């Protein structure tokens, strides 16, 4: 065997060994993350009934405010309630186990990062679940009650007004010889769908500052570019608000104001990231003053557009 063949075989073995080590490390981290998720599911499932009661509080309060003194939810299949608790445990288990999952992700990627990259990446790892929790809380305590009030109030208002007219203002004594009363008999899984969809949608929308700031750090987004696309961002946010919220102008307006505010905050954060990066490049002599003047002109143009 020639010397060249021996050298090439040695290079292949040296490159294969680190790859196998990385795959083994990835396997270990994935197993730990999955085990944490399963444990989180079991924990949430044991208190699934209480979690379900908490998630149904907005619709309960709405039903009580519309005159139902004893709100009742039903399920129509023997397995429906069980699988409802399974769904809750899956979503809740992911939230409970996220710190462990994030830690496993950090342990996998941290050895390949420089010190400054670790310092830059870690805040986003902490900010992401915090913002998701903020969005989920905003949805549960503000948006879902508005949605329930709109849907149930829309159905109950005509019959309520009809009762007032028929009985000279005494709604409690309302009775009719003809016609059919349309009442709300809520199913547990269908009512829960609305709450969970809102929570997930708002939680993801609140990730906008994290996403855009990470793109800014990677050079994929600039403050100038985000400012110049404001009009398109407004249209996109309005479309998202129409898709993920009920046909209620108040709810859609709230989502638009919140997400657009997050967009403006993202522009500010990306601008700070760019300033720090430019200052660092300038100290290393890698950024000319002429290039810095170009960025300044972009900012001035943006201010003029305002």
């Amino acid at each position: 065997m020639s010397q060249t063949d021996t050298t090439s075989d040695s290079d292949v073995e040296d490159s294969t060994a680190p790859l196998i080590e990385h795959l083994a490390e990835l396997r270990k981290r994935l197993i730990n993350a999955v085990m944490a998720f399963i444990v989180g599911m079991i924990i949430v499932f044991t208190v699934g009934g209480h979690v379900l009661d908490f998630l149904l509080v907005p619709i309960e309060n709405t039903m009580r405010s519309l005159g139902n003194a004893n709100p009742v939810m039903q399920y129509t299949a023997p397995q429906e309630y069980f699988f409802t608790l399974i769904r809750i445990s899956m979503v809740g288990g992911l939230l409970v186990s996220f710190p462990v999952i994030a830690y496993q992700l950090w342990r996998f990627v941290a050895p390949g990062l420089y010190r400054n990259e670790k310092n830059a990446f870690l805040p986003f790892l902490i900010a992401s679940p915090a913002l998701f929790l903020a969005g989920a809380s905003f949805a549960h305590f503000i948006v879902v009650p508005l949605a329930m009030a709109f849907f149930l109030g829309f159905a109950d208002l005509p019959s309520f007004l009809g009762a007032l007219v028929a009985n000279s203002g005494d709604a409690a004594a309302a009775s009719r010889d003809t016609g059919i009363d349309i009442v709300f008999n809520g199913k547990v899984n269908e009512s829960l769908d609305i709450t969970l969809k809102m929570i997930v949608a708002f939680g993801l929308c609140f990730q906008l500052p994290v996403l855009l700031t990470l793109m800014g750090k990677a050079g994929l987004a600039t403050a100038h570019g985000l400012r110049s696309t404001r009009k398109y961002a407004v249209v996109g946010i309005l479309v998202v608000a129409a898709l993920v919220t009920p046909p209620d102008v108040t709810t859609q307006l709230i989502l638009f104001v919140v997400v657009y505010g997050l967009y403006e905050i993202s522009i500010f954060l990306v601008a700070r990231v760019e300033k720090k990066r430019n200052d660092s490049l300038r100290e290393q002599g890698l950024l000319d003053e002429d290039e810095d003047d170009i960025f300044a002109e972009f900012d001035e143009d943006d201010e003029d557009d305002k």
Side-chain angles (χ1 to χ4, degrees), residues 70-119:
N70 184 30
V72 175
M73 303 295 292
Q74 64 179 350
Y75 61 94
T76 56
Q79 74 280 6
E80 185 176 318
Y81 183 74
F82 173 77
F83 284 108
T84 298
L85 296 182
I86 291 293
R87 292 175 56 198
I88 292 175
S89 64
M90 290 180 64
V91 177
L94 181 61
L95 295 177
V96 170
S97 63
F98 185 83
V100 178
I101 296 174
Y103 176 73
Q104 298 300 322
L105 174 64
W106 173 253
R107 288 294 303 271
F108 179 72
V109 302
L113 300 176
Y114 294 105
R115 182 186 298 272
N116 59 338
E117 292 174 336
K118 292 180 181 179
N119 295 334

Side-chain angles (χ1 to χ4, degrees), residues 4-305:
T4 303
D5 294 338
T6 304
T7 303
S8 61
D9 291 341
S10 177
D11 292 339
V12 171
E13 293 176 358
D14 291 341
S15 61
T16 303
L19 177 61
I20 295 176
E21 293 177 0
H22 286 308
L23 291 177
E25 181 69 13
L26 177 61
R27 176 177 174 272
K28 175 184 176 181
R29 299 304 171 190
L30 287 176
I31 291 175
N32 292 341
V34 171
M35 291 300 297
F37 173 66
I38 294 175
V39 172
M41 278 189 59
I42 295 173
I43 293 174
V44 176
F45 186 80
T46 58
V47 294
H50 298 289
V51 177
L52 179 60
D53 292 341
F54 173 74
L55 293 175
L56 294 178
V57 164
I59 192 171
E60 176 193 350
N61 293 337
T62 303
M63 294 172 69
R64 291 185 183 278
S65 67
L66 292 174
N68 188 344
N70 184 30
V72 175
M73 303 295 292
Q74 64 179 350
Y75 61 94
T76 56
Q79 74 280 6
E80 185 176 318
Y81 183 74
F82 173 77
F83 284 108
T84 298
L85 296 182
I86 291 293
R87 292 175 56 198
I88 292 175
S89 64
M90 290 180 64
V91 177
L94 181 61
L95 295 177
V96 170
S97 63
F98 185 83
V100 178
I101 296 174
Y103 176 73
Q104 298 300 322
L105 174 64
W106 173 253
R107 288 294 303 271
F108 179 72
V109 302
L113 300 176
Y114 294 105
R115 182 186 298 272
N116 59 338
E117 292 174 336
K118 292 180 181 179
N119 295 334
F121 184 73
L122 188 58
F124 295 102
L125 203 59
I126 298 174
S128 182
L131 287 175
F132 186 90
L133 183 61
S137 300
F138 181 80
H140 180 70
F141 293 107
I142 297 179
V143 180
V144 175
L146 290 174
M148 294 301 176
F150 172 80
F151 286 128
L152 296 183
F154 179 79
D156 288 351
L157 183 59
S159 59
F160 179 75
L161 293 178
L164 288 178
V165 173
N167 295 277
S168 301
D170 187 6
S175 62
R176 295 182 302 177
D177 295 331
T178 60
I180 298 176
D181 289 331
I182 299 176
V183 297
F184 172 69
N185 291 321
K187 291 185 63 179
V188 175
N189 62 337
E190 293 177 354
S191 300
L192 184 64
D193 276 343
I194 298 177
T195 301
L196 289 181
K197 287 179 180 178
M198 290 288 186
I199 288 176
V200 173
F202 275 80
L204 294 178
C205 286
F206 272 59
Q207 300 298 310
L208 187 63
V210 174
L211 176 62
L212 292 180
T213 306
L214 280 174
M215 292 177 64
K217 278 186 171 293
L220 301 176
T222 64
H224 169 69
L226 294 176
R227 293 190 186 103
S228 62
T229 56
R230 271 195 181 100
K231 60 182 74 174
Y232 304 106
V234 169
V235 175
I237 295 171
L238 287 174
V239 171
V240 172
L243 292 176
V244 304
T245 59
D248 177 14
V249 177
T250 302
T251 306
Q252 294 174 355
L253 182 61
I254 290 175
L255 178 60
F256 170 77
V257 171
V258 171
V259 177
Y260 183 75
L262 294 173
Y263 185 81
E264 291 294 334
I265 293 174
S266 301
I267 294 177
F268 172 75
L269 294 175
V270 172
R272 289 192 60 185
V273 168
E274 289 180 341
K275 184 177 183 302
K276 290 181 179 180
R277 183 173 64 245
N278 292 338
D279 291 342
S280 177
L281 293 175
R282 197 179 302 109
E283 291 176 357
Q284 301 174 20
L286 301 177
L287 181 66
D288 296 334
E289 293 296 332
D290 295 338
E291 297 178 1
D292 193 38
D293 292 338
I294 293 176
F295 291 118
E297 290 177 2
F298 283 157
D299 293 337
E300 290 176 0
D301 293 339
D302 293 331
E303 293 296 331
D304 294 338
D305 292 339

